[in-house]
Amino acid sequence: MTYAVAALVDIDDFIASERAQGQAGARGQLQRAGEAVHDAARARPGALCLPRPPEEWLVLLTGADPDTLVSDATALAEDVSMRIARATA
């Protein structure tokens, strides 16, 4: 049996960033965040990352062991959070 976990990454402060930094600054920040999410997903074999414009990404992890999958999803969430923090203001 194959199990799946979906993680939705949502950049909540995009509109606030756009107001504070202007559209170009906010778009740059959004692009860096997207690259961080894609990089974190690529670091996990078999992960699928689907952009959900304008400010969300759906990352799907699959596996045969649900406990391992939960651990992988937790590690993914921590990795995404760190990568976005490094890549954006």
Side-chain angles (χ1 to χ4, degrees):
M1 181 176 286
T2 300
Y3 297 91
V5 172
L8 182 65
V9 180
D10 184 358
I11 307 298
D12 287 331
D13 67 345
F14 176 72
I15 293 172
S17 295
E18 188 174 38
R19 289 181 182 151
Q21 302 173 19
Q23 188 173 22
R27 292 277 174 213
Q29 184 169 317
L30 188 60
Q31 180 179 349
R32 290 187 302 276
E35 290 168 359
V37 175
H38 282 280
D39 289 346
R42 275 193 290 273
R44 281 148 184 85
L48 178 63
C49 184
L50 304 168
R52 310 296 295 171
E55 59 189 42
E56 296 176 343
W57 298 267
L58 182 65
V59 181
L60 180 65
L61 301 173
T62 58
D65 178 42
D67 293 330
T68 301
L69 196 54
V70 169
S71 294
D72 290 347
T74 300
L76 171 72
E78 292 169 356
D79 190 19
V80 166
S81 179
M82 287 188 301
R83 287 175 187 258
I84 288 176
R86 284 193 308 255
T88 64

